[in-house]
Amino acid sequence: MNDIIPGTQFEEDLRRFQEEHQLGDKMFQRGTVTKGWWSSFKSRYWHRLVTRRGERFACNRADWTKLPNIVQMYDVIHDELVDTSVAIKLDSPVFTDRDGNEV
């Protein structure tokens, strides 16, 4: 977070807030956030934050191999696969058999 603050209006706002509330000690660099900032932010706004990591799926294979669950799993990882160049986005779906031949 400290990488995107310098040189913005937020840096001055944060510095002013820290001075008004007497946060930090003599060694504290005003206009920056501390290591605990992100965990405190998450605990305050947990109800508004949505993360796609750590999403729980049923442990029982018979439950999670149903089509809606497969679609959900695909949706969760699709963007990550494209971003890391493991997969590419196609204009239309391509179906293959067990040997990888298009059907």
Side-chain angles (χ1 to χ4, degrees):
M1 179 54 90
N2 285 324
D3 295 341
I4 61 174
I5 293 176
T8 65
Q9 179 60 37
F10 298 111
E11 180 182 22
E12 185 57 37
D13 293 343
L14 181 58
R15 180 175 283 130
R16 188 172 35 255
F17 176 83
Q18 290 167 337
E19 290 170 357
E20 289 172 2
H21 292 87
Q22 299 176 353
L23 299 176
D25 57 10
K26 292 179 183 178
M27 301 300 291
F28 181 70
Q29 183 180 356
R30 301 250 188 244
T32 61
V33 294
T34 61
K35 292 179 181 179
W37 178 85
W38 178 243
S39 62
S40 297
F41 180 84
K42 287 191 301 184
S43 67
R44 282 192 306 273
Y45 296 104
W46 65 270
H47 60 288
R48 293 185 181 192
L49 298 175
V50 177
T51 60
R52 293 174 71 165
R53 292 179 184 233
E55 193 167 335
R56 298 193 183 268
F57 296 99
C59 294
N60 186 345
R61 183 177 293 183
D63 291 337
W64 67 259
T65 54
K66 292 187 168 69
L67 182 60
N69 293 329
I70 299 295
V71 169
Q72 181 187 14
M73 258 194 309
Y74 178 80
D75 290 343
V76 169
I77 65 167
H78 178 263
D79 294 336
E80 301 296 327
L81 294 173
V82 171
D83 290 344
T84 57
S85 300
V86 172
I88 58 172
K89 185 172 177 102
L90 300 174
D91 294 332
S92 60
V94 175
F95 300 97
T96 60
D97 61 13
R98 290 183 184 181
D99 298 322
N101 301 318
E102 288 188 30
V103 292

